[in-house]
Amino acid sequence: MRVVVVGTGTIGTAVAEVLREARHEVVTVSRTGGDLRADVTDRASLAALFGRVGEFDAVASAAGDVFPAPLATSTDEQWEQSLGSKGRGQIDLVRSALPHIADGGSFTLVSGVLGDEVNAAMTIGATVNGMVEGFVRAAATELPRGIRINCVSPAVLTESRAFHPYFPGFVPVPARDVALAYLRAISNPYNGRILRLHRVS
Ligand SMILES: NC(=O)c1ccc[n+]([C@@H]2O[C@H](COP(=O)([O-])OP(=O)(O)OC[C@H]3O[C@@H](n4cnc5c(N)ncnc54)[C@H](OP(=O)(O)O)[C@@H]3O)[C@@H](O)[C@H]2O)c1
């Protein structure tokens, strides 16, 4: 399969590696790195990406920012950037790729443990993850041409040490385990699934 992996950070890099090991062809994308450049918050940039990427069978998204902030002091900017990037950005990624993806292709988006578990400063993250997961469940019933969509929901990553203080008592998950969940979603006939990698002690 030819897979477009959006996001070249901790998760995106691991996803690309696992896909290559499974002998898939990978095209990496981000705003500042990867094989091709695109910004998921910019519809014109997404249209340009899918206009030039050529044929592809799957899109794996590991992009988007969410700001941890206590609800009472959260700012409009933090809400707008989080909803617009990880939330609407991933939705627009699917909408932009849909006319171009192969029959029987698949989308895999990313949410996260917030929303299923409670911690401090979680409300923005929980809201955005709920938005992404709601989109995935609903879109799975509507996608044409045998196209599938799923979501991977990681706990905090082992590699993301700066976030560990926000997740006391949570068991971090290695990026490679998260990447294997993407491979599962892409390779098997899953649709509308939220693949949770959560371990709380
Ligand atoms: N790390 C964790 O513990 C964890 C846990 C659960 C869920 N998640 C979620 O998983 C996703 C990826 O996390 P990560 O830890 O791999 O993040 P990361 O290391 O910060 O990497 C994020 C990647 O996304 C790209 N990106 C960001 N905004 C973009 C945009 N608007 N358009 C295109 N590319 C964009 C960045 O590259 P450029 O800056 O070059 O665009 C970067 O390659 C995030 O949505 C995060 O909320 C992470």
Side-chain angles (χ1 to χ4, degrees):
M1 268 187 267
R2 189 160 189 263
V3 185
V4 178
V5 177
V6 183
T8 55
T10 313
I11 294 177
T13 299
V15 169
E17 189 176 294
V18 160
L19 289 171
R20 287 192 185 106
E21 285 171 11
R23 303 199 174 281
H24 296 298
E25 184 185 347
V26 175
V27 181
T28 57
V29 177
S30 84
R31 290 169 302 188
T32 61
D35 301 317
L36 296 171
R37 306 283 160 92
D39 182 344
V40 299
T41 69
D42 178 350
R43 283 293 298 244
S45 138
L46 289 172
L49 169 68
F50 292 112
R52 66 185 284 230
V53 73
E55 294 184 358
F56 60 96
D57 307 285
V59 174
S61 171
D65 298 319
V66 168
F67 293 87
L71 177 61
T73 56
S74 58
T75 64
D76 289 350
E77 191 183 23
Q78 287 168 332
W79 276 99
E80 274 160 28
Q81 288 190 13
S82 303
L83 289 166
S85 171
K86 186 173 181 179
R88 205 186 57 235
Q90 292 197 93
I91 293 169
D92 285 345
L93 176 65
V94 172
R95 294 174 63 226
S96 301
L98 190 52
H100 305 279
I101 194 168
D103 291 356
S106 75
F107 294 99
T108 308
L109 305 189
V110 64
S111 59
V113 66
L114 295 183
D116 293 308
E117 294 288 344
V118 178
N119 73 358
M122 67 169 281
T123 303
I124 295 179
T127 304
V128 173
N129 290 339
M131 178 179 175
V132 174
E133 293 181 8
F135 173 78
V136 166
R137 285 197 195 89
T141 69
E142 284 201 60
L143 287 173
R145 302 188 282 115
I147 296 164
R148 302 177 291 108
I149 185 166
N150 297 286
C151 184
V152 173
S153 172
V156 69
L157 298 183
T158 307
E159 292 85 349
S160 299
R161 291 208 178 83
F163 298 149
H164 290 186
Y166 293 100
F167 294 91
F170 288 71
V171 181
V173 58
R176 185 174 174 85
D177 290 2
V178 176
L180 289 169
Y182 278 77
L183 179 61
R184 257 195 302 145
I186 291 167
S187 309
N188 296 290
Y190 294 0
N191 193 25
R193 293 271 301 270
I194 313 298
L195 304 182
R196 292 186 172 79
L197 292 104
H198 306 171
R199 286 168 58 218
V200 289
S201 56

